[in-house]
Amino acid sequence: ALVGRGTRGYIAVDVDDQQLVFLKDVWPAVGEETETLSVIQTYRRLAEHQVPFLADFAYGGEVPLDWRDTTSPAQSAPNWMFARDHPEYAARTDGDVRLVGKKHVRMVFKKIGRPLHTVKSPKELATITYHALISHDVAVRKALILHRDISNGNILIDKDGKGMLIDWE
C-alpha cells in the first residue's frame, strides 16, 4: 500500500539453533526518527541496557533486493518512487497520512508471545501489565527510549506467563 506500516509476523525456525522464533517484517519510514538503522539500533540499545520483559531481539537488518548479494540495496516500497516522481503528493498531508520512503527490514526475536486477550485471570492481567510498565520504565531511565504506543496490541504473554512489551519501532 502507499501508506501504512505493512508489518507482518510469522513463527519460523532458526535452523542454526533448531528453535522456534518470531520473524517480523516491517517497512519503516526512511529519513524520519523510525529510519531503518534506528529500528535495529533501538532493539540493540534495549538489550544493551538489559531492559526486561521484551521479546529478546536476536538479529535483523535491511532485506536486499538480491538475496544472493548482500551488498545490493535494500528493498524499498513503491511509494518511495511514486513520492519521488510526484512531489505534489509527497508534500501533501491528509490528516496523519503522507507519502514517505520506506525500506524493508526483517527482524528475528527469540520469544514468541500470545495476545493479551488470552489472559486466564485478573491477577495474570495485572501481572502482565505490571511487567510491561517495568519494561517501559527501565527503557526510559536506562536506555533513554520512549515507546510511544503502549496498548493492548503491544503487550504479549510469553510461555512462562510473563508480559512482553513489543513493537518498539
Side-chain angles (χ1 to χ4, degrees):
L2 287 176
V3 296
R5 294 186 318 181
T7 301
R8 299 287 183 266
Y10 315 91
I11 295 175
V13 176
D14 183 322
V15 292
D16 292 333
D17 296 338
Q18 294 298 304
Q19 298 287 325
L20 290 178
V21 294
F22 189 75
L23 176 72
K24 185 174 183 179
D25 278 327
V26 296
W27 292 83
V30 175
E32 293 187 351
E33 69 276 359
T34 55
E35 194 170 277
T36 300
L37 286 178
S38 68
V39 170
I40 302 301
Q41 287 172 346
T42 296
Y43 285 105
R44 287 187 178 143
R45 186 172 183 144
L46 291 167
E48 178 183 311
H49 290 279
Q50 299 175 338
V51 175
F53 305 115
L54 301 176
D56 293 345
F57 175 73
Y59 46 87
E62 292 180 351
V63 178
L65 278 173
D66 182 355
W67 64 270
R68 295 162 295 194
D69 178 10
T70 56
T71 62
S72 73
Q75 295 177 8
S76 59
N79 67 349
W80 177 259
M81 293 166 277
F82 184 85
R84 179 197 63 210
D85 296 340
H86 301 279
E88 67 276 14
Y89 290 103
R92 187 176 126 195
T93 58
D94 294 329
D96 291 333
V97 178
R98 69 185 174 99
L99 297 178
V100 295
K102 296 177 181 248
K103 295 239 174 147
H104 188 184
V105 175
R106 185 165 286 152
M107 299 175 285
V108 175
F109 296 90
K110 296 176 188 174
K111 290 184 182 177
I112 301 168
R114 61 185 167 90
L116 193 58
H117 67 78
T118 64
V119 294
K120 297 177 174 76
S121 70
K123 181 180 178 184
E124 184 183 38
L125 177 61
T127 301
I128 289 159
T129 304
Y130 178 66
H131 292 161
L133 293 173
I134 289 172
S135 180
H136 190 259
D137 178 61
V138 174
V140 169
R141 286 186 302 103
K142 291 188 175 180
L144 303 177
I145 296 173
L146 182 65
H147 189 286
R148 298 185 323 154
D149 187 22
I150 298 175
S151 64
N152 62 343
N154 289 335
I155 301 172
L156 296 180
I157 308 164
D158 74 10
K159 66 181 173 108
D160 299 320
K162 295 180 180 171
M164 296 188 303
L165 186 55
I166 63 165
D167 284 353
W168 288 83
E169 61 278 345

